[in-house]
Amino acid sequence: MAGITNIGFRTLCREQGGGLFVSEMITSRALVERVPLTFQMIRFGPHESPRSIQLYGVDPAIIGKAARMIAEEDLADHIDLNFGCPVPKVTRRGGGSALPYKRNLLRAILREAVAGAGPLPVTMKMRMGIDEDHLTYVEAGRTAVEEGLAAVALHARTARQHYGGTAHWDAIKRLKDAVPEVPVLGNGDIWSADDALRMVAETGCDGVVIGRGCLGRPWLFRDLDLAFEGSPERTRPTLGEVGAMMLRHAELLCEVIGSERHGLADFRKHVGWYLKGFVVGAETRRALTSVTTLSEMAERVAELDAGQPWPDQADGPRGKSGERSKVSLPHNWLDDPDDMTIPGAGAEDPTSGG
């Protein structure tokens, strides 16, 4: 969710419902080296609590330093380690969903993170493995328990699946059975609150992690609150109500970024997600992605067919999908799962997050 879960979007989601809202993924090296962009990415609002930082890295020592820095400088209240990212620029450097295959390196990273974090809880998110022939999630889950992590989350896809195909919820159940000592959170193909209820019922997981399901649907967190409280009520906004949410989101981004032009430029990628399924002409969509001021944005939103009801086709997947023919990995990465060699210095780009 790099480029999505900034302070503006987290604020919007918090306004809708409860939950633990995590920062964009940042690299441990960039944090330790105090790269200014990284510190912008881990800003939190005055009312954000608990504050959660999503950390990525491949070097146990650097991860340990980053965790210690977060704890000692009170940068956050919780650290989530990302071993689930399938993006080629991450996996080809041995990070994200590629790393758990190196089981000893994974253990060393978890140990250093927990030691550095001190009193702060450390959790991790992972995938099932690199592909169907290299599944790692059960062993990685056991390692997490042994090294003192507070919880584990599983996106029930392999790295090769990327965001395509169907999430294998049965893997979440197997992980829950394998690590009863800690909460297990499920992730994958949760597009509605009813999907979340079904996942919990089928797998026995202790909670859910929302990723692409909230793209253009920040009210999903309200629905989740209602669903887990036993209420059948669900949010089915009209196009006018969706437009009002779009404007609120754009206002928050402009406030956070400090510029209407740049805030609205950042908002462009959200337009298609909000309007998915609604009958909105191409010209109107283009107009909404080319505005440069909030007043112009408000004018374009006011032109939408406010009474248009929520369409059935608005539900379901959002964001890029599709499987990969193979996973980009470092040379000879699969030769020895016990190899402790730390990927080279270029494995963590110090200038960006995920």
Side-chain angles (χ1 to χ4, degrees):
M1 301 288 280
I4 303 294
T5 54
N6 53 40
I7 186 174
F9 188 60
R10 294 197 308 270
T11 298
L12 183 68
C13 292
R14 283 180 184 275
E15 291 175 351
Q16 311 309 308
L20 174 66
F21 299 94
V22 187
S23 75
E24 299 174 74
M25 186 174 79
I26 63 166
T27 71
S28 55
R29 185 175 297 277
L31 184 65
V32 169
E33 295 181 1
R34 298 184 179 275
V35 174
L37 174 59
T38 295
F39 273 78
Q40 291 180 24
M41 293 171 68
I42 62 169
R43 284 187 301 160
F44 293 97
H47 304 298
E48 287 197 80
S49 180
R51 301 162 301 159
S52 179
I53 285 181
Q54 183 182 175
L55 201 59
Y56 150 71
V58 298
D59 186 325
I62 299 297
I63 284 275
K65 288 180 181 178
R68 189 170 299 107
M69 184 174 166
I70 291 169
E72 293 179 351
E73 299 184 20
D74 190 29
L75 299 178
D77 307 304
H78 163 244
I79 298 171
D80 187 47
L81 300 175
N82 188 311
F83 300 112
C85 182
V87 176
K89 77 171 185 177
V90 172
T91 59
R92 75 164 57 101
R93 295 167 171 174
S97 53
L99 198 139
Y101 182 74
K102 299 294 189 180
R103 50 197 175 206
N104 292 334
L105 183 57
L106 173 68
R107 183 179 294 276
I109 287 175
L110 298 183
R111 183 169 296 175
E112 289 295 326
V114 171
L120 301 186
V122 178
T123 60
M124 78 176 193
K125 179 184 177 182
M126 59 182 171
R127 287 197 172 220
M128 293 168 59
I130 291 173
D131 53 35
E132 290 293 336
D133 296 323
H134 301 90
L135 299 177
T136 55
Y137 67 101
V138 172
E139 183 176 6
R142 288 304 314 162
T143 300
V145 169
E146 293 162 6
E147 295 303 328
L149 268 70
V152 294
L154 177 64
H155 183 160
R157 283 182 169 87
T158 63
R160 191 192 69 79
Q161 279 186 275
H162 206 66
Y163 295 103
T166 302
H168 303 284
W169 288 5
D170 55 318
I172 299 171
K173 185 179 188 305
R174 284 195 290 272
L175 180 62
K176 178 60 184 173
D177 292 341
V179 292
E181 302 95 329
V182 300
V184 170
L185 309 177
N187 177 225
D189 292 350
I190 298 178
W191 307 109
S192 69
D194 294 301
D195 290 333
L197 291 179
R198 187 164 54 88
M199 175 185 280
V200 171
E202 292 181 11
T203 70
C205 66
D206 301 284
V208 299
V209 173
I210 303 298
R212 293 176 301 148
C214 66
L215 297 177
R217 305 290 184 270
W219 55 83
L220 175 57
F221 297 101
R222 175 179 181 272
D223 283 357
L224 287 168
D225 283 348
L226 291 168
F228 284 112
E229 290 169 359
S231 171
E233 181 185 348
R234 299 292 182 267
T235 305
R236 308 283 287 181
T238 63
L239 182 54
E241 291 168 330
V242 170
M245 188 71 73
M246 293 171 67
L247 186 57
R248 172 62 177 156
H249 190 169
E251 289 170 346
L252 287 167
L253 287 179
C254 293
E255 180 182 332
V256 169
I257 294 173
S259 160
E260 287 193 17
R261 178 178 293 275
H262 292 104
L264 290 166
D266 190 69
F267 181 73
R268 288 172 188 166
K269 58 179 171 283
H270 296 273
V271 171
W273 296 327
Y274 276 107
L275 298 181
K276 181 180 185 295
F278 285 100
V279 179
V280 178
E283 184 176 337
T284 300
R285 290 173 184 265
R286 281 194 297 271
L288 284 165
T289 58
S290 62
V291 296
T292 57
T293 66
L294 285 171
S295 60
E296 187 182 358
M297 172 83 174
E299 291 174 4
R300 299 288 83 79
V301 166
E303 293 169 356
L304 295 172
D305 178 10
Q308 187 177 150
W310 179 262
D312 291 337
Q313 57 268 38
D315 294 318
R318 288 174 296 283
K320 295 180 180 179
S321 60
E323 300 190 3
R324 300 297 175 90
S325 59
K326 65 177 183 178
V327 180
S328 297
L329 298 168
H331 184 61
N332 295 330
W333 187 253
L334 298 177
D335 288 356
D336 182 7
D338 294 316
D339 181 21
M340 280 285 290
T341 302
I342 298 170
E348 292 185 47
D349 183 351
T351 63
S352 72

